[in-house]
Amino acid sequence: MHSTQFCSKLNKSIVIFASGAGTNAARIIIHFANHNAISVTCLFTDRASSGAVDIGKKNNIPVVLFDYAVDMGADGMVMKRLSALNPDLIVLAGFLRLMPAVFVERFTHRIINLHPALLPAYGGKGFYGNRIHQAVIADKQHQSGITIHFVNEHYDKGDIISQHKVPVENGETSASLAAKIHALEYEFYPLIIEQVLEQNK
């Protein structure tokens, strides 16, 4: 009994927020599926159509569907669920909404996000997905990449944890650049999540 209690304290838990197809959520879940000290305990989504719903079900991870306008207040359902779970890290994986300041304050330096550009460039409200890649190409940038950062009360303004780059080639399209960016996301996001949790022992 004492042994079990001690081991449980060593475990780190992750909660994922997703809005879209859920491909990054899936990669994170797969990465930690057999990890001996880190586990994904819950998946939150604000869209019933999100691929995250099926991904959670397939991997036996509880999925919480919520209404952002109704459930994201200081005393709302999402805060109550998160407070009960008390995750070591909240991971935004394609979650397109702003995290309210009350969440940032409650979970200081425990919320991270992945942005598909090299911040501070091409960040802020409205900059997501192909909009970013189209802007990067239109501006004739020679490189793009991903930024993994802590979340504060402003879009894409939190402290940067790491950045990873790819070249933007002549004749690059938003689709080809998106493929390069996705490859970086799948490779590095789970690894950086693991590093952040290991540093916060």
Side-chain angles (χ1 to χ4, degrees), residues 12 19 25 34 39 43 47 54 57 65 68 71 74 81-82 95 100 113 123 126 128 151-152 167 172 175 178 185 189:
K12 298 283 188 176
S19 295
N34 298 308
S39 60
L43 203 159
R47 296 184 181 180
D54 287 335
K57 290 178 180 177
L65 179 63
Y68 183 88
D71 299 322
R81 290 285 188 98
L82 286 177
F95 184 63
N113 182 49
Y128 59 88
V151 171
N152 64 15
E172 195 87 70
E185 294 172 350
Y189 204 17

Side-chain angles (χ1 to χ4, degrees), residues 6 32 57-58 101 104 200:
F6 180 70
F32 292 106
K57 290 178 180 177
K58 287 177 182 176
V104 176
N200 291 341

Side-chain angles (χ1 to χ4, degrees), residues 15-157:
V15 164
I16 298 174
F17 277 68
S19 295
T23 53
N24 274 306
R27 298 283 175 154
I28 294 164
I29 290 167
I30 291 167
H31 182 84
F32 292 106
N34 298 308
H35 200 284
N36 62 2
I38 300 170
S39 60
V40 178
T41 58
C42 196
L43 203 159
F44 286 73
T45 182
D46 59 331
R47 296 184 181 180
S49 61
S50 171
V53 175
D54 287 335
I55 289 165
K57 290 178 180 177
K58 287 177 182 176
N59 291 276
N60 297 314
I61 293 172
V63 176
V64 177
L65 179 63
F66 66 94
D67 183 322
Y68 183 88
V70 174
D71 299 322
M72 286 290 280
D75 298 315
M77 180 268 287
V78 174
M79 178 63 86
K80 289 176 181 176
R81 290 285 188 98
L82 286 177
S83 296
L85 289 165
N86 193 27
D88 294 282
L89 200 62
I90 297 169
V91 175
L92 308 188
F95 184 63
L96 301 179
R97 302 278 198 165
L98 185 68
M99 291 300 281
V102 66
F103 284 79
V104 176
E105 292 167 7
R106 171 68 176 79
F107 300 99
T108 303
H109 269 73
R110 288 162 63 188
I111 310 174
I112 66 172
N113 182 49
L114 170 69
H115 186 74
L118 298 173
L119 294 174
Y122 306 103
K125 187 175 182 179
F127 266 119
Y128 59 88
N130 273 333
R131 294 183 182 186
I132 294 173
H133 309 319
Q134 290 166 355
V136 167
I137 293 168
D139 291 345
K140 303 187 186 307
Q141 297 293 331
H142 297 296
Q143 63 181 10
S144 188
I146 63 171
T147 302
I148 299 166
H149 63 95
F150 287 109
V151 171
N152 64 15
E153 64 272 22
H154 305 289
Y155 279 112
D156 306 322
K157 296 290 187 181

Side-chain angles (χ1 to χ4, degrees), residues 166-178:
V166 291
V168 179
E169 310 286 355
N170 290 333
E172 195 87 70
T173 66
S174 60
S176 64
L177 182 54

